[in-house]
């Protein structure tokens, strides 16, 4: 078994299996042991932990996870990588399951229930950048039993996660992250730490789930729909953005009444509002919301 983490070993494996990088899957493999060490320090994995890894690639980070965790479940969409992982780079570990699936279709709730007795798991990944936002949103919006999410993301995405109201980076991702988690930037990572090199700078960010959300809202599901509506058409007033949003069915009059009850001016835009305000609007609309 090859121990991965430097460019030479990565190239050896890629050549051995005639592996061709798939751009559509956002494949940029890590080739720097210092970065791998930083991810592991931030993720704080112990022998008690069940870890879900999204996109193991050729298994570089997975090897580190297997050494430190009780059990690792690695979900990889590219079937060409599966024999590399199973027959070679992860063959020596008996605490890893390799699943050939799209993470957006994978049942994480069942994994936590069946394999961890319902106890929260840790998620660790060097994420495929083309679907970072849907992955992080799906992990957070459904309030799954997850203790922490330690991920490599594009630098701009890390900035969006931490942005506040009224800034250009502020959006649905900022609100979803800040509702559920505390953020910590563990490392800045330049393009030369990956093969092939991405066009952008990257960051390792840890999201630690909050014990309690910072605002109490009757229906978080409705609040997140309102947030998505607001940022779907961010140049529109909140009133029009909510009225036009396909997933919601409120009349303009109902929305106006709710904005008034929440103390929000009717011509306000969502990009100016924080979690408190979205929570108040959601509560005012909740009586007439059928999920
Ligand atoms: N973890 C490896 C590393 O650090 O070297 C690879 C990281 S690479 C940035 C992203 C990985 O995610 C690739 O292996 C890619 O095939 C996989 N991937 C892309 N889309 C996926 C999806 N929807 N579900 C699961 N894995 C996916």
């Amino acid at each position: 078994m090859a121990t991965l983490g430097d460019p030479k070993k990565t190239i050896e494996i890629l050549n051995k299996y005639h592996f061709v990088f798939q751009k559509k899957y956002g494949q940029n493999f890590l080739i720097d042991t210092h970065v791998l060490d930083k991810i592991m320090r931030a993720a704080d994995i112990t022998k008690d932990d069940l870890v879900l890894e999204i996109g193991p690639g050729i298994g570089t980070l997975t090897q580190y996870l297997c050494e430190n965790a009780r059990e690792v479940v690695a979900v990889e969409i590219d079937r060409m990588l599966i024999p590399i992982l199973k027959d070679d780079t992860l063959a020596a570990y008996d605490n890893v399951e390799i699943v050939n699936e799209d993470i957006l279709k994978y049942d994480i709730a069942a994994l936590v229930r069946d394999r961890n007795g319902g106890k929260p798991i840790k998620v660790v990944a060097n994420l495929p950048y083309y679907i970072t936002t849907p992955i992080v949103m799906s992990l957070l919006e459904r309030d799954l039993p997850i203790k922490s999410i330690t991920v490599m993301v594009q630098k701009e995405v890390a900035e969006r996660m931490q942005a506040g109201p009224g800034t250009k980076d502020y959006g649905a991702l900022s609100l979803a992250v800040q509702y559920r988690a505390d953020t910590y930037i563990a490392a800045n990572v330049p393009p030369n730490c990956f093969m092939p090199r991405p066009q952008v700078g990257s960051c390792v960010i840890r999201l630690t789930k909050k014990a309690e959300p910072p605002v109490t809202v009757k229906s978080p599901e409705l609040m997140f729909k309102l947030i998505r509506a607001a940022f779907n058409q961010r140049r529109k007033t909140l009133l029009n953005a909510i009225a036009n949003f396909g997933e919601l069915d409120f009349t303009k009059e109902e929305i106006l009444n709710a904005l008034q009850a929440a103390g929000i001016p009717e011509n306000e835009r969502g990009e100016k509002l924080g979690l408190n305000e979205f929570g108040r609007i959601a509560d005012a609309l909740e009586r007439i919301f059928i999920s």
Side-chain angles (χ1 to χ4, degrees):
M1 182 200 76
T3 310
L4 301 167
D6 73 38
K8 212 171 126 244
K9 285 170 195 142
T10 298
I11 290 169
E12 254 172 52
I13 292 285
L14 298 177
N15 288 344
K16 183 172 167 191
Y17 289 88
H18 307 289
F19 180 75
V20 180
F21 284 101
Q22 297 276 341
K23 226 177 167 177
K24 66 172 178 189
Y25 289 146
Q27 292 175 338
N28 300 96
F29 297 165
L30 265 170
I31 49 166
D32 187 301
T33 52
H34 300 294
V35 175
L36 288 153
D37 287 338
K38 283 182 186 167
I39 296 175
M40 292 308 293
R41 261 204 304 278
D44 189 25
I45 304 301
T46 72
K47 283 288 169 196
D48 274 344
D49 290 320
L50 171 63
V51 176
L52 170 65
E53 187 192 6
I54 299 163
I58 59 167
T60 310
L61 175 58
T62 326
Q63 290 186 341
Y64 282 66
L65 294 170
C66 291
E67 294 288 340
N68 289 279
R70 186 191 84 229
E71 207 181 331
V72 179
V73 174
V75 179
E76 171 58 60
I77 198 168
D78 185 353
R79 67 185 172 80
M80 302 309 282
L81 289 165
I82 305 303
I84 303 181
L85 296 164
K86 285 195 172 163
D87 304 341
D88 204 317
T89 58
L90 302 179
Y93 296 103
D94 59 6
N95 62 341
V96 61
E97 186 195 346
I98 299 147
V99 182
N100 184 201
E101 209 176 309
D102 178 348
I103 190 63
L104 294 176
K105 297 190 181 132
Y106 183 71
D107 191 345
I108 300 172
L111 171 76
V112 181
R113 192 184 57 231
D114 301 344
R115 303 274 282 278
N116 214 36
K119 262 185 29 211
I121 61 164
K122 290 178 181 166
V123 176
V124 183
N126 169 16
L127 285 176
Y129 291 173
Y130 76 105
I131 45 165
T132 301
T133 301
I135 291 175
V136 173
M137 290 294 250
S138 76
L139 294 175
L140 293 173
E141 276 194 1
R142 286 176 293 149
D143 195 20
L144 292 161
I146 293 173
K147 205 174 204 163
S148 64
I149 303 168
T150 306
V151 279
M152 178 85 71
V153 296
Q154 209 175 310
K155 198 161 186 292
E156 289 77 54
V157 175
E159 283 160 5
R160 272 167 37 209
M161 288 179 180
Q162 297 186 305
T167 62
K168 73 167 178 28
D169 291 333
Y170 187 59
L173 182 66
S174 327
L175 284 152
V177 166
Q178 292 163 30
Y179 179 70
R180 296 265 189 233
D182 295 316
T183 59
Y184 163 70
I185 302 278
N188 281 302
V189 184
N192 62 3
C193 296
F194 302 87
M195 182 182 293
R197 293 179 184 194
Q199 306 282 351
V200 293
S202 303
C203 264
V204 177
I205 188 165
R206 185 184 65 214
L207 313 177
T208 309
K209 282 284 282 288
K210 290 183 156 114
E212 293 293 334
V215 300
T216 310
V217 48
K218 288 179 203 143
S219 169
E221 183 198 349
L222 171 59
M223 182 178 76
F224 282 115
K225 280 195 177 169
L226 294 170
I227 289 170
R228 278 210 304 282
F231 290 99
N232 211 27
Q233 295 188 300
R234 64 187 293 152
R235 306 309 304 161
K236 289 224 154 52
T237 63
L238 201 54
L239 172 63
N240 287 326
I242 297 173
N244 293 345
F245 192 58
E247 289 177 43
L248 291 168
D249 197 18
F250 297 117
T251 64
K252 277 204 168 177
E253 197 190 345
E254 287 167 341
I255 303 164
L256 267 175
N257 288 340
L259 289 175
Q260 208 167 37
I264 313 283
E266 64 180 75
N267 58 354
E268 192 64 284
R269 292 196 186 127
E271 61 193 5
K272 294 268 158 41
L273 305 180
L275 276 170
N276 272 317
E277 286 89 356
F278 277 109
R280 290 208 302 274
I281 303 167
D283 279 353
L285 282 167
E286 202 260 348
R287 284 177 300 115
I288 42 178
F289 172 60
I290 303 152
S291 72

